Amino acid sequence: MTTRLYEHPVFLEHLTPPGHPERPDRLRAINIALEHPNFAPLQRAEAPQANEDAVLLAHPEEHLAAIKRRIPEEEGEINRVETDTYVSPKSLQAALTAIGGAMAAVDAVMAREIANAFVACRPPGHHAEKAKAMGFCLFNTIAIAARHAMRHHGVERVAIVDWDVHHGNGTQDIFWDERSVLFCSTHQMPLYPGTGKKEETGAFGNIVNAPLSPNTGSEHFREAFKARVLPALENFRPDLVLISAGFDAHHRDPLAQLNLVGEDFDWATGRVMEVADKFAHNRVVSLLEGGYDLEGLAESAGMHIMRLMKG
């Protein structure tokens, strides 16, 4: 079995204001990296667009309606949803296609069509709380994918590993009271959005945060991963592992102060895959979250995808 990349041209049509870090060039940079001959075996598929009802797996109808009201009609128009979160005419379609790609990836790994998958999508999702868009995110794509796995495939235990440099407050919010989902996060603290303390453990001890101090490098990141994330995964014994793959902990990234390199994401991917091999029949689905320096993003995402391909 192989690795499948889910992509779609509409992801480039989610527009943000000039100078905004979450921009279409992020996906273009990843695509350039994937032109290397090493990625020739990578299977590529167009992400399908999800039905709007899929949003309701993680969000109330009022949240969906609020986002739809902000979508502009005129080409080139951009509306602000929240402080740093914007929508353009194709943003709803892009967000629904990100959800559709994530759900299709879950379907494919559960059916054993593929070993694992990476969904190269935008807008990102892990900051979107139950009823609030924030941090460039409209809907919590990975939360919806997890609920889809449980509702449609009978998955009993889903683990979500989030190594974006910003804490996945939205994912934590949605699954705080859900013992069937383990959420593990490494992130810089203090940093936006201000959540992610070790003491935030969820209603059933199902939240595991590993905050890292500014200027932390590879050694401390790997130590935190081995000390907190991997034991939690081993104890949880997941049936499916989802990754919020943000690459803004890279030392080049302008939005934070961690000093990771591409090899760290390769290493973390490998450790997560070992857990998936042990408990989850190798089922791993990874979704793009942050990463705002184009060179650092391309390097890190490329090494992450290559590690997925190695199996």
Side-chain angles (χ1 to χ4, degrees), residues 220-242:
H220 289 102
F221 166 74
R222 296 188 188 200
E223 286 177 358
F225 212 85
K226 289 186 285 188
R228 293 186 60 79
V229 175
L230 294 179
L233 290 171
E234 289 273 345
N235 291 334
F236 187 67
R237 303 171 66 90
D239 302 312
L240 172 68
V241 180
L242 307 180

Side-chain angles (χ1 to χ4, degrees), residues 51-65 96 99 130 139 144 147 151:
N51 188 287
E52 289 183 5
D53 287 346
V55 174
L56 307 184
L57 289 171
H59 303 282
E61 290 185 14
E62 293 79 6
H63 178 67
L64 172 60
L96 291 174
I99 292 167
K130 291 176 187 175
F139 308 123
I144 294 167
R147 289 261 171 84
R151 303 273 177 91

Side-chain angles (χ1 to χ4, degrees), residues 24-47:
D25 281 346
R26 299 177 63 232
L27 293 186
R28 296 188 181 103
I30 293 175
N31 274 324
I32 291 171
L34 297 180
E35 291 175 0
H36 192 281
N38 286 349
F39 294 99
L42 179 64
Q43 190 180 115
R44 303 179 82 138
E46 186 168 272

